[in-house]
Amino acid sequence: MRIALLTYSTKPRGGVVHTLNLAEALAAAGADVTVWSLARDGDPGFFRPVEDAVRLELVPFVAIEAESVGQRILRSIDTLRAAFDAARYDIVHAQDCLSANAAGRCIRTIHHLDEFSTPELAACHERAIIEPYARICVSAAVAAEVRAGWGFEPTVIPNGVDFERFAAAAGPDAAGQRQAWRNRLGRYVLAVGGIEPRKGSIDLLEAFALLADQDLQLVFAGGETLFDYRDYRARFTARADELGLAPVILGAVADADLPSLVAAAAAVPFFSRKEGFGLAAMEALAAGVPVVARDLPVLREVFDDAVDYVSTPGQLAAALRAALPTDPARRARGRAVASRYRWADAARAHLDFYAALSTTQPSHRPTTTSTWSAAPIPPLQGLTTRSVIARPSG
């Protein structure tokens, strides 16, 4: 079975991490896998090495000064679409809205739903839900949102987690790497995922100010995004100044250094407003680090009793304070939950899904009558810039 997995970036974003781990697990199970991606900013490869069994097709995509978000979205779709050859594959599986718009007839993994104010991105998001011939979600909670909003019935296949790698980062052999981070940062809580509205970064500032622990540092680590969060980042900086906070912003961290950074943290606050699974928090649990999460249905589904759930910055501050003392039982619960999620299991479920589709679906390969073209994608008829997921909830 020849499988193409498509993603939109070579940078360390959650969907890209998912794509690479799934590709490697599929290849280990005997599948012929190729990952397609835009190679952003002259990247010669992905943010981490990829197993040799996985083929890579990277499409150059250079930044253009003063390009708007909408223009960049459309150019991203056009560039990937022009390079991608669906006829080479039995399965075409897009991992995000940009690659789904570029791929033509495809399977789509809907990691999470979001709202976008950029019209081109709102239209991209909508089409990438409606047009694919099959859909996967990484949690039942997101599948329920898709069902309520669009009437589709996605198949649920949870993420895996690189359990051994993050568990090892908490072990005796990695003590030096953990200490190096503590020497650099002091005692810290770690927010993974960058500074953006979906991650609740400003809410986290409010909580940290209420925590009022002078010996504790707030650290942010996160990767590149296509989207323009400069206004939010400006509000974040202004609010940090008002609160008298000086958070450490590491930006993207080298993949080899990430497990020890996570394992050295005193706690991981996971205060996202929207998530599809919560892979960064699951990695923290694998490393034995306590997690405090926003009370979202998807996180209760995935994390069970391994984390504390809160709804307000005040509750987050109190829960973080309570989580900071070492609690071996809590760490054991977290590791037990993280150990349930394996990429090998996710790969087997995907292969079963692909095989079932091959007996019920016509070929995905485009024909000369395909309705897909390289023309720019306008906003869909009737959509406003914030209506994409304003669907009935019941």
Side-chain angles (χ1 to χ4, degrees), residues 12 181 190-195 219-223 248-253 258 261-262 280:
W181 282 114
L190 176 68
V192 179
I195 296 168
V219 176
F220 288 83
V248 176
I249 301 171
L250 297 175
V253 174
L258 181 62
L261 173 67
V262 172

Side-chain angles (χ1 to χ4, degrees), residues 28-272:
D32 181 345
V33 185
T34 303
V35 173
W36 282 79
S37 178
L38 296 173
R40 297 193 177 277
D41 305 326
D43 283 349
F46 280 98
F47 67 93
R48 69 161 177 86
V50 180
E51 295 289 342
D52 291 341
V54 176
R55 294 186 180 89
L56 301 180
E57 293 278 2
L58 302 182
V59 182
F61 188 87
V62 298
I64 294 178
E65 188 174 353
E67 184 178 46
S68 71
V69 175
Q71 290 169 333
R72 189 159 68 250
I73 295 301
L74 295 179
R75 185 166 64 90
S76 296
I77 294 167
D78 287 344
T79 301
L80 185 56
R81 181 190 292 150
F84 180 62
D85 181 6
R88 292 164 52 186
Y89 304 101
D90 303 301
I91 294 292
V92 172
H93 187 168
Q95 297 293 326
D96 51 78
C97 82
L98 296 186
S99 63
N101 276 258
R105 182 170 167 77
C106 67
I107 301 165
R108 163 81 197 285
T109 292
I110 303 170
H111 292 271
H112 67 273
L113 298 173
D114 215 331
E115 293 186 26
F116 296 110
S117 57
T118 302
E120 294 87 349
L121 189 51
C124 173
H125 181 276
E126 181 82 355
R127 286 183 69 168
I129 294 171
I130 293 172
E131 296 292 340
Y133 71 92
R135 298 157 194 84
I136 294 171
C137 290
V138 295
S139 61
V142 175
E145 290 185 73
V146 174
R147 185 184 310 114
W150 288 267
F152 298 121
E153 291 285 348
T155 294
V156 177
I157 303 177
N159 271 325
V161 63
D162 196 348
F163 179 83
E164 285 78 10
R165 182 169 176 246
F166 281 85
D173 291 344
Q177 293 97 308
R178 295 195 302 276
Q179 190 58 49
W181 282 114
R182 290 169 181 152
N183 290 343
R184 174 179 173 182
L185 300 170
R187 182 165 164 262
Y188 62 92
V189 298
L190 176 68
V192 179
I195 296 168
E196 57 187 81
R198 184 171 69 85
K199 295 297 183 180
S201 307
I202 293 176
D203 291 343
L204 184 50
L205 288 178
E206 304 289 347
F208 194 77
L210 294 172
L211 185 59
D213 187 332
Q214 298 300 316
D215 296 324
L216 196 65
Q217 182 65 263
L218 176 60
V219 176
F220 288 83
E224 171 258 21
T225 177
L226 270 179
F227 315 132
D228 190 349
Y229 295 133
R230 283 176 293 183
D231 289 346
Y232 185 85
R233 182 69 175 264
R235 295 199 304 275
F236 174 92
T237 301
R239 187 57 180 152
D241 290 343
E242 292 168 358
L243 294 169
L245 300 178
V248 176
I249 301 171
L250 297 175
V253 174
D255 184 67
D257 297 330
L258 181 62
S260 59
L261 173 67
V262 172
V268 167
F270 199 68
F271 213 39
S272 298

Side-chain angles (χ1 to χ4, degrees), residues 86-87 89-90 105-106 133 357-358 360-367:
Y89 304 101
D90 303 301
R105 182 170 167 77
C106 67
Y133 71 92
L357 284 177
S358 68
T360 60
Q361 294 287 332
S363 171
H364 71 274
R365 295 174 185 174
T367 69

